[in-house]
Amino acid sequence: MPEEVEYAAIPVEDAVAQVTEKMPDEEMLYDLADLFKVFADTTRIRILYSLMESEMCVADIAQTVNVTQSAVSHQLRILKQAHLVKFRKEGKQIIYALSDDHVYTMLSQGMTHICE
C-alpha cells in the first residue's frame, strides 16, 4: 500500500494563492497533456520499451513488437515529433534510440506506479 503523504495545514486562501502562483501557464499544460497522450498507445509503449533495452532499426523493432514495418514507422514518426526517440544513420540504415534518460525514467516510474 502506498505511503500516505502528510500535508501541512495552510489556510485555504494561502493555499489557493500558493498553488495559483506555481501553476504553469496554459501552453505548458497543453504541451504536457499532449506528451501524455503519446503514451496512450500500447504499440508506442512497446516500441519505447524495446528501445529501453537496445538501439534498433525499424525492421528489428517491427519483429520485436510484432507489427508491420509500416506501422512501426508511423508510430516512430509520432514518437520523434514528441521528442521521445532520436535516430542516426548508419549507411542506408536508420537506428532509433530513446532521446534521453528522461524517457527511460518516465517509463520506469510509470511501471513502478502501476505495479504498486
Side-chain angles (χ1 to χ4, degrees):
M1 184 157 223
E3 237 178 77
E4 266 193 53
V5 177
E6 290 188 33
Y7 295 97
I10 301 173
V12 173
E13 302 81 25
D14 293 343
V16 170
Q18 189 177 38
V19 170
T20 302
E21 182 181 313
K22 292 182 180 183
M23 183 69 66
D25 67 28
E26 284 299 314
E27 187 174 335
M28 292 293 287
L29 294 172
Y30 181 83
D31 291 344
L32 183 60
D34 275 350
L35 174 64
F36 283 115
K37 286 177 190 174
V38 173
F39 288 100
D41 180 274
T42 55
T43 300
R44 288 192 289 266
I45 294 295
R46 290 185 3 234
I47 290 169
L48 290 170
Y49 261 91
S50 298
L51 296 176
M52 284 175 74
E53 296 300 321
S54 177
E55 297 180 337
M56 294 184 180
C57 67
V58 171
D60 292 342
I61 296 169
Q63 185 175 356
T64 302
V65 300
N66 199 29
V67 296
T68 66
Q69 289 186 31
S70 175
V72 168
S73 293
H74 173 72
Q75 298 302 338
L76 284 169
R77 188 174 325 112
I78 293 167
L79 294 168
K80 283 188 294 187
Q81 288 172 342
H83 307 287
L84 296 173
V85 298
K86 61 183 178 182
F87 66 94
R88 70 176 193 286
K89 290 188 177 187
E90 282 188 6
K92 292 182 178 183
Q93 211 169 38
I94 299 175
I95 306 298
Y96 291 89
L98 296 182
S99 63
D100 58 38
D101 289 339
H102 295 115
V103 180
Y104 185 92
T105 300
M106 285 188 285
L107 291 167
S108 296
Q109 290 291 316
M111 187 59 77
T112 299
H113 181 74
I114 64 168
C115 289
E116 288 183 345

